[in-house]
Amino acid sequence: MSQGDRNMPESVEDYIAGFPPGVRSVLRKMRAAIRKAAPGAEERISWGMPAYAQDGMLAFFAAFEKHVSFFPGPEGIEKFKKELAAYGTSKGTVRFPLGTPVPYGLIGRIVEFRVKENKARAAAKRKK
């Protein structure tokens, strides 16, 4: 499934269901890690992929032909760049090749960091 598909998934479960069993398993575990780290986050489809928001966007994830990507934004990548060094990264994305172990605990820690960061930013905005 890609962002250009006419049949956009209506829910995260619909999104995950559109992939082969092995990919579904990885996506479900990513979803669980994010939800555990941010139980108060709103889960939705945005830009054609699963997205999580709490006091602003926290993260997205998506599956591709040869990898799954996790999008915690540039702040999440920068803060954890040493731990993410073994993976392909760009400004706001980390790619985990299919068939290799995915660091679900690290994904959770990055989301926890993003929750704190968003809360602090929201609190600072309220004070202005």
Side-chain angles (χ1 to χ4, degrees), residues 4 10 17 22 35 38 44 46 51 53 58 63 67 71 74 80 82-83 91 94-95 97-98 105 107 121 124:
E10 292 185 22
R35 292 176 83 177
R44 61 182 179 227
S46 182
L58 294 171
H67 68 278
F71 307 91
F80 293 88
K82 287 181 184 172
E83 291 173 84
K91 185 176 179 183
V94 59
R95 290 171 299 284
L98 290 173
I107 289 170
R121 190 178 298 126

Side-chain angles (χ1 to χ4, degrees), residues 10-102:
E10 292 185 22
S11 69
V12 173
E13 195 55 49
D14 287 346
Y15 179 88
I16 292 170
F19 292 94
V23 177
R24 282 197 305 261
S25 175
V26 171
L27 296 175
R28 284 188 179 118
K29 289 174 186 173
M30 289 180 79
R31 179 187 193 191
I34 294 167
R35 292 176 83 177
K36 181 179 179 185
E42 175 194 351
E43 180 180 77
R44 61 182 179 227
I45 296 293
S46 182
W47 296 94
M49 63 186 129
Y52 298 83
Q54 185 173 338
D55 294 315
M57 287 309 302
L58 294 171
F60 299 81
F61 67 82
F64 299 91
E65 187 176 339
K66 296 182 180 184
H67 68 278
V68 292
S69 286
F70 174 59
F71 307 91
E75 304 89 350
I77 298 295
E78 181 61 29
K79 175 76 175 172
F80 293 88
K81 68 181 173 186
K82 287 181 184 172
E83 291 173 84
L84 293 170
Y87 306 99
T89 61
S90 62
K91 185 176 179 183
T93 308
V94 59
R95 290 171 299 284
F96 305 111
L98 290 173
T100 64
V102 175

Side-chain angles (χ1 to χ4, degrees), residues 34 36-41 53-59 72 75-76 79-80 107-126:
I34 294 167
K36 181 179 179 185
Q54 185 173 338
D55 294 315
M57 287 309 302
L58 294 171
E75 304 89 350
K79 175 76 175 172
F80 293 88
I107 289 170
R109 289 194 311 278
I110 293 170
V111 171
E112 287 170 351
F113 165 75
R114 295 284 294 124
V115 168
K116 289 176 188 169
E117 186 179 54
N118 280 5
K119 281 184 182 181
R121 190 178 298 126
K125 260 187 189 174
R126 284 191 295 271

